[in-house]
Amino acid sequence: MSLHWTELLPIDRYAVRTADQLGNREHKTLQLLYQPLTGTTAISLYNMLWSKLEKDCFWSGEATHHELMAMLNLPLDDIYDARRILEGIGLMKTFRRQEEKSTFFIYELQPPMTPAQFFQNDVLSVFLYNKLGKDRYIQLRSRFLIEAVDTRAYSEVTAAFNDVFSSLQYSEINPRSNLANVEEDKELEGDYHEQHIFFNESAFDFDLLKADLPVFINGDKLLNEPIKSVIRRLAFVYRLDPLEMSRIVQQSLSNDDSIDEAELRRKVQDWYRFEYGSEPPALGLRTQPAQHRTMSEKEPVTEKEKMILFYEQTSPLAFLESISDGAKVPLSDVKLVESLIFDYQLQPGVVNVLLDYVLKTNNMKLNQNLVQKIAGHWSRKHIQTVKEAMDLAKKEYQTRKQRLPAGGGEKNAAGQARSYRPYVRKDKLPKWLENGPQTADNPEKEGLNDSNLKEQKQQFEEMLRLRKSSRQK
């Protein structure tokens, strides 16, 4: 069940604000460049909020979210999810004020990037390429190209400012500060807002990167804020950890011991092609969103609770790597995971449960048709939390077992039992999928205790470290 109600209610009021107006180019950019990444619901919400602004107005009147639900014909949880997508991709800022009986929101719409900014962005351009494919991406990019002028055949004769205007006498000069501070609670129409995508600063461990640098490199001086911003984006897109990024940073140093951004990007792309081939990285959500977690503020006791916590804290790709002892996830599986998240709108933790269920009941084979069939079913039932997914998977598994005759074989159309048994590896099944109550009275019977979990985690981390060190050699 969605937990949007902890953040947003239909009676909560909102107003829309912007510092600029949209034109035809911005609308085209939203439809052609942003919508493949955000989906239609998020862009519909953006356009609906923009329509609240009358011509040449930069503030809208107040309205309730119940009205917004009626206008978009969407439930509130879909609107909340679409709002977060707009926030994440840089198209909206949200401000909240708690009042006595409700909450008041300001939705500050941000203009989309220009096509030039979008295609030069390290994050969005790569994910758009992956979403559309090479041919469609090149075709779309060509729509925004204009003919360049070969200035080598010309000599520039543009007049300079001081060629046209003369300096004022001292008595005629009005200090700019006196003009700028006339109304401190207002800002100029179309005031400049830097176009960027916000990344949580704790998402990348710069301390570990600095510690891995040679002693003769001053990490604090080398990693200034602009460079750290570039590193965060590249690490997110290409799934680089701090140790791998440290090695690439050292290879990208210029003669004056500074980082060449262009060289850093090229080295990262070379590393990715060497590791994963020519296919671009896929866009994927990291882990289960906070509003859909049930173990955020609870200490796990039973094995089921420990598995819920594991599923919630692990991304689907990391989960697939962990069950294959750190081996690279095949590209077909990467695309399948992306489809589960974006096409079927499943949460990452729910995807983990689905993958584990299919693998453990089908001889560790990830049958795409079966996965998509289950995903469609879970999507229609609006499964949002890991616990809901585990309960439904267990119910489906028990139903599947009950359909089998007592002899273990399935029946044919004539009602006669077939001679073979379906392959079910009971010794490999997750314990939460099997029969029996989940209690905290006897933790040893449930399988993993805290020390075993820590030991397995340490073994997995050591395996990854050895794999990285052998690759560096």
Side-chain angles (χ1 to χ4, degrees):
M1 182 178 179
S2 176
L3 299 180
H4 69 276
W5 50 267
T6 62
E7 299 287 338
L8 189 63
L9 294 173
I11 63 171
D12 290 337
R13 297 172 297 114
Y14 73 92
V16 183
R17 179 186 183 277
T18 186
D20 207 344
Q21 290 287 343
L22 284 186
N24 291 332
R25 186 187 69 183
E26 285 77 16
H27 283 293
K28 184 185 296 184
T29 302
L30 284 171
Q31 297 293 332
L32 298 179
L33 303 184
Y34 280 87
Q35 186 166 284
L37 301 180
T38 65
T40 57
T41 302
I43 298 302
S44 296
L45 174 61
Y46 187 92
N47 289 330
M48 176 58 67
L49 294 176
W50 204 281
S51 69
K52 294 286 184 180
L53 300 168
E54 300 293 338
K55 184 178 181 181
D56 296 331
C57 290
F58 299 90
W59 273 97
S60 75
E62 295 183 9
T64 66
H65 286 83
H66 187 274
E67 175 190 327
L68 195 59
M69 294 164 61
M71 294 294 292
L72 290 171
N73 193 26
L74 289 173
L76 190 60
D77 55 344
D78 286 357
I79 293 176
Y80 177 72
D81 291 339
R83 190 194 89 186
R84 287 177 55 82
I85 290 174
L86 293 176
E87 293 167 354
I89 208 166
L91 290 175
M92 181 192 291
K93 292 182 179 180
T94 302
F95 303 91
R96 179 175 60 187
R97 184 181 70 208
Q98 193 65 44
E99 299 179 343
E100 185 176 351
K101 295 183 178 180
S102 64
T103 305
F104 181 73
F105 291 87
I106 294 177
Y107 295 143
E108 186 177 278
L109 299 180
Q110 307 297 307
M113 295 182 184
T114 66
Q117 290 173 324
F118 190 98
F119 286 107
Q120 291 171 5
N121 187 277
D122 295 319
V123 178
L124 300 184
S125 60
V126 172
F127 290 147
L128 183 66
Y129 184 102
N130 175 270
K131 199 71 177 178
L132 300 180
K134 180 180 179 180
D135 294 339
R136 176 58 181 156
Y137 177 86
I138 294 176
Q139 180 185 14
L140 183 60
R141 189 173 184 272
S142 65
R143 291 192 58 170
F144 297 95
L145 295 177
I146 59 176
E147 292 293 331
V149 176
D150 186 3
T151 57
R152 293 173 298 180
Y154 300 83
S155 58
E156 186 173 3
V157 294
T158 306
F161 179 84
N162 57 355
D163 290 336
V164 179
F165 300 97
S166 60
S167 176
L168 297 174
Q169 297 294 326
Y170 181 79
S171 59
E172 299 176 296
I173 297 177
N174 289 317
R176 184 181 181 274
S177 58
N178 292 343
L179 299 176
N181 297 327
V182 170
E183 295 177 297
E184 295 181 354
D185 60 341
K186 292 185 171 59
E187 64 182 47
L188 291 174
E189 174 185 337
D191 199 9
Y192 174 74
H193 295 278
E194 183 180 359
Q195 296 285 347
H196 68 282
I197 300 175
F198 172 76
F199 284 91
N200 190 342
E201 296 196 4
S202 63
F204 187 84
D205 191 348
F206 281 99
D207 290 336
L208 181 57
L209 190 157
K210 292 178 185 178
D212 192 62
L213 294 174
V215 294
F216 57 84
I217 296 179
N218 186 339
D220 293 329
K221 180 180 179 181
L222 181 69
L223 300 174
N224 54 40
E225 281 306 318
I227 291 297
K228 289 170 73 172
S229 178
V230 173
I231 289 176
R232 280 192 201 98
R233 295 197 304 269
L234 292 174
F236 171 79
V237 173
Y238 296 100
R239 300 177 63 218
L240 280 159
D241 63 31
L243 297 179
E244 290 166 332
M245 181 60 79
S246 170
R247 182 168 57 89
I248 295 175
V249 164
Q250 295 174 50
Q251 296 173 356
S252 306
L253 294 177
S254 58
N255 294 333
D256 58 353
D257 286 338
S258 62
I259 297 178
D260 186 324
E261 289 188 23
E263 183 67 11
L264 179 63
R265 290 189 177 91
R266 190 179 67 81
K267 291 290 186 182
V268 168
Q269 292 166 0
D270 290 343
W271 173 88
Y272 184 86
R273 279 193 290 267
F274 178 77
E275 287 290 320
Y276 298 100
S278 58
E279 286 290 335
L283 174 62
L285 299 177
R286 290 296 187 179
T287 57
Q288 186 79 351
Q291 70 270 22
H292 297 304
R293 295 191 181 193
T294 59
M295 296 296 297
S296 299
E297 301 178 356
K298 183 180 179 181
E299 187 69 23
V301 178
T302 66
E303 184 187 355
K304 181 176 181 179
E305 290 179 340
K306 292 174 183 177
M307 288 307 300
I308 290 175
L309 183 63
F310 173 73
Y311 289 139
E312 288 180 345
Q313 293 181 343
T314 307
S315 70
L317 295 184
F319 171 74
L320 290 177
E321 288 180 351
S322 69
I323 62 177
S324 58
D325 296 331
K328 185 175 69 172
V329 180
L331 181 62
S332 58
D333 291 350
V334 174
K335 290 186 174 297
L336 179 59
V337 168
E338 184 185 24
S339 174
L340 295 177
I341 293 175
F342 290 98
D343 296 335
Y344 291 90
Q345 297 293 305
L346 296 181
Q347 300 295 342
V350 175
V351 171
N352 287 336
V353 178
L354 194 159
L355 296 175
D356 203 12
Y357 171 65
V358 172
L359 287 169
K360 297 296 177 59
T361 57
N362 288 275
N363 195 19
M364 301 305 288
K365 296 177 181 177
L366 207 57
N367 185 297
Q368 181 173 341
N369 292 333
L370 177 60
V371 169
Q372 292 177 337
K373 181 178 180 181
I374 297 175
H377 178 214
W378 290 13
S379 179
R380 289 190 295 273
K381 292 185 73 70
H382 303 290
I383 301 300
Q384 297 287 342
T385 68
V386 169
K387 184 179 183 302
E388 290 174 339
M390 292 172 70
D391 292 342
L392 183 57
K394 183 175 181 178
K395 181 180 178 181
E396 291 178 351
Y397 176 71
Q398 298 301 331
T399 303
R400 174 182 167 187
K401 286 178 62 177
Q402 292 172 3
R403 289 174 181 169
L404 299 178
E410 294 181 340
K411 293 184 177 181
N412 58 21
Q416 299 173 333
R418 294 175 180 171
S419 60
Y420 70 90
R421 291 173 178 265
Y423 188 90
V424 178
R425 297 180 62 176
K426 292 186 178 180
D427 58 318
K428 294 290 186 179
L429 287 177
K431 290 190 177 296
W432 58 264
L433 197 59
E434 296 177 336
N435 283 322
Q438 296 286 341
T439 66
D441 297 333
N442 193 350
E444 292 185 2
K445 289 183 179 181
E446 291 184 316
L448 298 176
N449 55 32
D450 290 335
S451 60
N452 288 335
L453 283 173
K454 292 178 180 178
E455 182 180 351
Q456 286 196 0
K457 182 179 179 181
Q458 291 173 354
Q459 291 175 352
F460 179 59
E461 290 175 348
E462 178 66 14
M463 178 270 297
L464 289 180
R465 188 186 65 80
L466 292 175
R467 180 170 173 260
K468 293 171 186 174
S469 59
S470 63
R471 193 167 59 221
Q472 291 177 358
K473 294 178 181 178

